[in-house]
Amino acid sequence: MPDGYLKLPDDWVRVMVSVPAPVDEVWEAVTDPRRVAQWFGHLSAPMTTGASTRVDFGDGDFFDIEVDHVEPRDRLLFRWSFLGVGPECQVGWTLTGGAEATTLTVDDSCPGRPGSEVAQLKAGWLDFVGRLARYLETGRPSRYDWRQEIDGSVVLPNGSWHPLREETVVDWLPIATDGAGPGWFFVVDEEGPRRFTLRDWQLDREQTLDFAVEIPGARTVTVCQVRTDPGERGRTLSVSHQGWHRLGLSDLQERTLRHRFAATWTAALALAEECARTRQELP
C-alpha cells in the first residue's frame, strides 16, 4: 500500500471533476445562488459559515442545509438532509487548481449508509458535477428538468411501533378506507385536500407495502412501494412513487402533481418519525 494511502469508509462517496476554469469562477459557481441555479438548484440563501439554507430542485425535491465551514476559493463543508427528514449527511466540496483549470472533489459521508445506496449516490454526484462542468464550459444552463421518481427515507428509532402493520399504517399514511379496505390516498397542501383512488393494495406485514394511485384523466396509474430495512442507526423507512412521465398529461400537469405528492410524502415520513419516537413503548 503506498505511503499516505487512506482507504475511504465503505459508506463514503467521493467524486472528482476537472474543468478548464479558474478557481475563483468555480467557487462562485458553487456558492453564489444565481450561479448555483444554473446547474444544481435554487438556494434560498448564500452558502456562508453558520447559514441555514435549502437547495430546491423545483419538482418537490429539496435538501435542507446547515453550512459548517467555508474557506473561500478552497473548501465548503455542510450537512444536509433530503426533504428535511432523511438521514443527515456530511458533504465537502474542495477546490484545487489555479488560473487555468480547477479540480472539484466532492466527499459525501453518512455513517451507516447501506452499501446498496453508495453506487446510486455516486452516480448522482457524477451527474451533478458533470452538469457543473458543462455549465462552466458552455455558459448555458445545465440543470435537469424534473425527476420521474419521488423517493425519500427516514430512520426510525428502534421500538415496538412499526409503520407497516395494518393497525399502524393509518397512523402516518394519508389514506382512508372505502368500507372494504384502504380506498383513498389524500393529498393536502396549500391548494387544499384532494383524494385519489387506491388500487392493488398489498401489505407484507413489517416488510413492504405496494399500491397504485389513480390520477383522474391519466392513461395509467402511478405506483408506490414502501419498505423497511433494519440498520445500525435504526429502522429505515423508504418510499418510492413512480410513473409521472407516463400519465399522458401535459408537462405542467405532471410536474404539478409530482410536486404536490412529493410534499405529501415528505409530511408522511416526518409523521412516521414522530410516531416512532413517541410510541416506542406501545405493545
Side-chain angles (χ1 to χ4, degrees), residues 94-174:
T94 304
L95 278 61
T96 56
E100 297 183 357
T102 302
T103 297
L104 170 66
T105 301
V106 176
D107 287 293
D108 187 328
S109 172
C110 194
R113 173 185 287 147
S116 59
E117 294 181 9
V118 173
Q120 181 179 7
L121 186 59
K122 185 172 184 178
W125 273 118
L126 286 171
D127 178 66
F128 278 130
V129 298
R131 292 177 186 278
L132 169 64
R134 290 196 296 277
Y135 166 61
L136 289 168
E137 290 169 1
T138 67
R140 296 192 295 269
S142 59
R143 278 178 56 184
Y144 68 78
D145 188 12
W146 56 284
R147 289 203 308 139
Q148 188 272 340
E149 181 182 14
I150 298 172
D151 56 4
S153 64
V154 65
V155 178
L156 309 179
N158 289 318
S160 56
W161 186 87
H162 196 289
L164 294 186
R165 295 172 181 159
E166 291 183 4
E167 65 272 22
T168 59
V169 71
V170 294
D171 291 343
W172 64 281
L173 266 182

Side-chain angles (χ1 to χ4, degrees), residues 76-90:
L76 175 66
L77 295 175
F78 57 90
R79 289 165 289 123
W80 70 358
S81 59
F82 188 52
L83 303 180
V85 296
E88 188 176 69
C89 301
Q90 179 80 49

Side-chain angles (χ1 to χ4, degrees), residues 238-280:
S238 58
V239 302
S240 172
H241 192 165
Q242 303 186 52
W244 305 101
H245 284 313
R246 300 193 299 268
L247 295 177
L249 305 175
S250 71
D251 182 79
L252 178 59
Q253 288 175 304
E254 292 175 349
R255 182 195 295 263
T256 300
L257 281 164
R258 187 205 185 280
H259 198 288
R260 297 189 71 189
F261 272 86
T264 298
W265 279 115
T266 300
L269 289 171
L271 183 56
E273 184 179 33
E274 179 183 348
C275 289
R277 186 176 61 252
T278 58
R279 307 182 191 185
Q280 290 184 57

Side-chain angles (χ1 to χ4, degrees), residues 63-82:
F63 283 90
D64 281 341
I65 298 174
E66 299 293 331
V67 183
D68 294 318
H69 184 67
V70 176
E71 295 179 32
R73 296 174 295 282
D74 184 13
R75 199 174 191 209
L76 175 66
L77 295 175
F78 57 90
R79 289 165 289 123
W80 70 358
S81 59
F82 188 52

